Amino acid sequence: MTQKLVLITGASRGIGAATARLAARDGWDVCVNYNGSQQLANEVVSDVEALGQRAVAIKADVGDASQIKDLFDSCEREIGVPNAFVNNAGIIGRASQFVDVEDDTLEQVIRVNVFGALVAAREAARRMVTTLGGSGGTIVNVSSAASTLGSANEFVWYAATKGAMDSLTIGLAQELGPGGVRVNAVNPGLIDTDIHDSSGIENRLEKLAGRVPLERPGSAEEVAESIVWLMSEASSYVSGSMLRVGGGR
Ligand code: NAP
């Protein structure tokens, strides 16, 4: 049987870590990328292994093109060529009015969420497309409901980077389809992870939960279920789609 191997960026915590664990439940081996959280990445590896799958943790800053290339090369050397890629690592920066945002925040958020996501998608595509000798596969871009909500008064720049993720999904699905690669996005809404702590807004989740029709934040596992479905054969005719996982928002 062909090895099912997924590489997930930002898999030490939050949505990426939940995806690694659920993927292992469904028989996937996992390359767990992390940047700062080595200990947590190792725990994800242990959990994947406990489910009978292979896993490896690989450090790489997704804001740096050469580290992304090394990440894919190390994954190939240590465990195999991925046939699924989850483009997940992302940051938001501290919340502010758009007129007050610092150049550094714009640069960092664009570097990780757009430049890094584009380079990583290219590295995945180069290894997967059948036209270049690959075996095909799936790419799932982790976008955000913010791409259509706009995140006014908090993170307009972040929403804009997720708009780029949606465009990447549409174009790449068209370009890579003939090469046997499906490309989709998930657009999570308000999800209970650490990302909100970096916003500088205290109790952000609690403050915004009332705006969600289902009246609560979602969990990382609820997003991961959608990602794992998009990676699977169960979604074999789904490509170029953006799946909103936002509790109705
Ligand atoms: P999180 O809990 O803050 O986790 C972020 C993950 O990304 C961590 O594993 C972190 O790794 C990694 N990461 C950050 N910068 C990185 C870099 N430069 N290189 C490599 N890895 C990096 O965030 P999350 O909520 O799970 O978010 C995951 C994705 O979902 C993001 O793209 C985010 O925009 C999107 N999203 C989240 C929500 C939400 O409400 N939570 C909603 C919509 C979309 P280390 O800790 O190892 O550095």
Side-chain angles (χ1 to χ4, degrees):
M1 208 178 87
T2 318
Q3 180 190 23
K4 294 201 297 183
L5 171 61
V6 60
L7 190 160
I8 306 169
T9 58
S12 51
R13 297 184 284 118
I15 292 167
T19 303
R21 292 181 170 106
L22 286 193
R25 175 201 68 185
D26 288 357
W28 291 86
D29 295 333
V30 189
C31 273
V32 176
N33 161 248
Y34 68 97
N35 189 29
S37 308
Q38 184 177 20
Q39 179 59 34
L40 292 176
N42 288 338
E43 286 171 23
V44 174
V45 167
S46 299
D47 289 348
V48 169
E49 288 173 344
L51 288 161
Q53 299 303 135
R54 296 177 64 201
V56 61
I58 303 173
K59 178 175 165 59
D61 178 354
V62 164
D64 179 324
S66 69
Q67 293 190 41
I68 295 171
K69 286 177 210 149
D70 290 347
L71 164 66
F72 277 86
D73 289 344
S74 301
C75 177
E76 184 168 347
R77 230 180 9 256
E78 293 186 36
I79 192 166
V81 179
N83 41 26
F85 171 57
V86 183
N87 212 355
N88 169 72
I91 55 174
I92 50 180
R94 278 182 82 79
S96 77
Q97 296 287 308
F98 189 66
V99 289
D100 296 324
V101 67
E102 304 279 351
D103 291 352
D104 274 357
T105 301
L106 293 180
E107 205 172 314
Q108 281 169 24
V109 176
I110 289 169
R111 180 156 281 279
V112 175
N113 294 14
V114 181
F115 179 72
L118 291 172
V119 171
R122 183 193 66 198
E123 292 306 308
R126 282 179 174 168
R127 289 161 176 81
M128 284 181 187
V129 287
T130 51
T131 40
L132 294 175
S135 309
T138 60
I139 295 175
V140 182
N141 292 321
V142 182
S143 180
S144 173
S147 68
T148 52
L149 293 171
S151 302
N153 306 308
E154 285 193 333
F155 319 99
V156 166
W157 56 89
Y158 168 76
T161 67
K162 295 302 187 179
M165 204 62 148
D166 290 353
S167 301
L168 171 68
T169 304
I170 295 165
L172 215 52
Q174 293 173 13
E175 196 166 313
L176 302 185
V181 178
R182 293 188 294 114
V183 185
N184 293 289
V186 291
N187 295 66
L190 189 69
I191 307 300
D192 187 358
T193 71
D194 297 346
I195 206 168
H196 305 283
D197 299 344
S198 56
S199 69
I201 302 172
E202 242 176 81
N203 303 322
R204 181 167 188 268
L205 278 174
E206 291 75 5
K207 282 179 183 151
L208 293 183
R211 293 194 202 165
V212 181
L214 290 186
E215 297 182 315
R216 64 171 177 85
S219 69
E221 289 71 24
E222 288 175 304
V223 180
E225 288 283 4
S226 302
I227 296 173
V228 170
W229 177 71
L230 287 169
M231 285 158 48
S232 77
E233 273 303 299
S235 62
S236 52
Y237 199 59
V238 182
S239 195
S241 289
M242 276 151 279
L243 177 54
R244 204 173 184 89
V245 188
R249 183 162 174 251

